Amino acid sequence: MDPRIREHARIIVDHSTEIESGDNVLVTAPPVAEDLAVAVYEELGKRGAHPMRMGGGSRASRAYLRAADPEDFELPEHLLAAVEEADAAIRVRADRNTNEQGDVAPETNTAYQKVRQPISDALMDTRWVLTQHPAPGNAQDAEMSTEAYADFVYEAINKDWEAQREHQAQMVEILESGTEVHLKSGTETDLTMRIDGMLTRNDDAEHNLPGGEVFTAPVPDSVEGTVLFDMPLMAQGREITDVYLEFEGGRVVEHSAAKNEDVLSAVLETDDGARRIGELGIGMNRSIDQFTYNMLFDEKMGDTVHLALGRAYEDTVGEDRERNDSAIHMDMIVDMSEDSLIEVDGELVQRNGTFVFEDGFEAN
């Protein structure tokens, strides 16, 4: 077995989920990630944990969703019970075909996500982590060989997370003391939002592996302006490009997309919270240096900002603030490498992807 897989498993178990003897652990990994599942199980065995494996296969999910009547969807109580008994949850992404569910109706996908929201909420109460195993389908999306993609994945994952956390802490300090964030990029993105009373988190690969971002939640009704997400995203097995949103009073009032706008429209109709922003994230992982059509990596790129429609994470919302709730959490990315800036309370903190505390920052 590739020793990098064993190191990946060790980081998952020791750093991300902090597994202890007696922990009940849910492991979701598709067959193509069998090597990582084996390595994780070995680490869990060394620590006296109790794992339970779930398949996570996209072909089976597609077959079910295409055969089922959305009106028959109900909360699977047996799965909810398993999640509620878990101390930790490890979810591995790996695909032979990332478009496997591309022919499932968008309305079916959103109905399925909505009815399963209690399961998503219960998972958030565990010590959870989402990670990636390098698989052929993901390598193909990234336009890399499987070997080159594996090098890319492990470069981003198997790193010194304590050092990364210290680097990101500089941006955390800026946001924690701030009231308003202004994002500007090109001629289409000019967006403001308040973050006072919200909590800023330092993602050092506790829940996302790789980590490498600083994130918070905006005050729900404070988002104003326009944004063009000029980097593509994959949603419900489809590529959506050039998503454009206009906000008034925190809500999306106009939207468009150059490709698969119907998927975007269906997402926005999921529930009331789907039209609001639940997360502002600032990418800071410099080991991720190219776009790969994988949001787990792409949103961490150092020259990007991402916003998520829908659910806000509870640990980013202050005690006296409203948490935006939704069955969805869909991240979308703005390239900040050129003709772009981030201001906090009128002070420039990033220009063209370079932070004020990094070498090469230009104030003008």
Side-chain angles (χ1 to χ4, degrees):
M1 183 182 293
D2 188 329
R4 297 177 299 181
I5 298 177
R6 296 191 183 279
E7 175 63 10
H8 186 181
R10 186 195 64 75
I11 292 173
I12 289 170
V13 170
D14 284 344
H15 175 77
S16 299
T17 55
E18 298 181 329
I19 299 299
E20 299 178 350
S21 178
D23 280 344
N24 293 326
V25 185
L26 289 178
V27 179
T28 304
V32 71
E34 184 67 14
D35 281 353
L36 181 56
V38 169
V40 166
Y41 261 57
E42 184 175 31
E43 295 295 331
L44 294 173
K46 291 176 182 178
R47 288 153 185 79
H50 310 303
M52 184 175 85
R53 174 89 177 266
M54 295 189 291
S58 57
R59 287 183 64 202
S61 295
R62 171 190 176 272
Y64 173 76
L65 291 171
R66 283 178 58 84
D69 183 342
E71 293 186 1
D72 293 334
F73 287 156
E74 294 181 358
L75 176 66
E77 297 286 352
H78 59 303
L79 178 55
L80 178 61
V83 173
E84 289 178 338
E85 289 296 320
D87 299 296
I90 297 167
R91 180 185 170 201
V92 179
R93 283 183 179 173
D95 297 281
R96 295 191 185 279
N97 178 5
T98 57
N99 295 307
E100 189 66 57
Q101 293 181 219
D103 53 0
V104 176
E107 296 78 8
T108 301
N109 274 311
T110 53
Y112 189 63
Q113 290 174 340
K114 190 172 183 177
V115 78
R116 292 166 65 95
Q117 185 176 354
I119 295 172
S120 299
D121 292 341
L123 280 169
M124 293 295 148
D125 291 332
T126 70
R127 302 193 305 275
W128 63 272
V129 65
L130 171 64
T131 193
Q132 176 75 44
H133 180 72
N138 306 103
Q140 190 170 30
D141 277 357
E143 299 183 345
M144 298 183 192
S145 66
T146 305
E147 180 180 351
Y149 184 67
D151 292 342
F152 169 82
V153 167
Y154 294 126
E155 179 71 18
I157 286 176
N158 295 348
K159 61 188 301 175
D160 184 343
W161 289 109
E162 183 176 348
Q164 183 70 26
R165 180 177 183 82
E166 291 177 358
H167 174 64
Q168 293 172 182
Q170 299 171 93
M171 192 64 205
V172 172
E173 183 177 356
I174 291 172
L175 292 179
E176 282 183 331
S177 61
T179 297
E180 184 178 81
V181 176
H182 177 210
L183 307 176
K184 188 171 176 57
S185 181
T187 59
E188 301 286 352
T189 296
D190 194 347
L191 200 68
T192 60
M193 65 195 72
R194 284 180 28 231
I195 57 170
D196 53 305
M198 295 304 197
L199 307 176
T200 304
R201 296 304 179 190
N202 189 339
D203 172 23
D204 64 346
E206 179 183 1
H207 292 308
N208 280 186
L209 182 60
E213 65 171 295
V214 169
F215 63 99
T216 187
V219 176
D221 62 358
S222 72
V223 182
E224 298 283 347
T226 60
V227 56
L228 174 67
F229 298 97
D230 49 3
M231 302 183 81
L233 69 144
M234 296 298 296
Q236 302 180 3
R238 296 171 175 84
E239 180 188 32
I240 309 177
T241 62
D242 291 333
V243 171
Y244 177 82
L245 302 178
E246 181 178 341
F247 289 87
E248 291 181 5
R251 289 178 54 81
V252 175
V253 294
E254 297 288 344
H255 72 276
S256 65
K259 183 178 181 181
N260 285 317
E261 185 176 319
D262 61 324
V263 178
L264 174 63
S265 298
V267 168
L268 289 168
E269 292 301 318
T270 303
D271 47 42
D272 185 64
R275 286 186 173 269
R276 297 182 183 273
I277 295 295
E279 179 191 2
L280 162 66
I282 300 173
M284 298 186 70
N285 188 336
R286 296 294 185 192
S287 296
I288 302 171
D289 57 2
Q290 63 186 95
F291 183 78
T292 61
Y293 282 93
N294 186 332
M295 192 60 69
L296 187 60
F297 290 77
D298 298 338
E299 69 175 6
K300 314 299 191 329
M301 290 175 65
D303 296 345
T304 65
V305 162
H306 61 276
L307 299 169
L309 288 171
R311 183 176 60 252
Y313 296 119
E314 287 190 15
D315 61 357
T316 62
V317 181
E319 291 184 3
D320 298 327
R321 287 297 186 194
E322 174 191 357
R323 182 175 80 91
N324 192 53
D325 192 22
S326 175
I328 63 106
H329 180 95
M330 190 170 81
D331 293 294
M332 297 175 287
I333 302 173
V334 180
D335 181 356
M336 301 292 286
S337 62
E338 295 181 358
D339 193 22
S340 301
L341 59 83
I342 303 174
E343 293 177 328
V344 177
D345 295 340
E347 295 292 326
L348 188 65
V349 300
Q350 188 198 75
R351 182 184 293 280
N352 298 336
T354 303
F355 295 97
V356 65
F357 44 81
E358 290 183 315
D359 293 340
F361 174 77
E362 297 179 359
N364 298 305

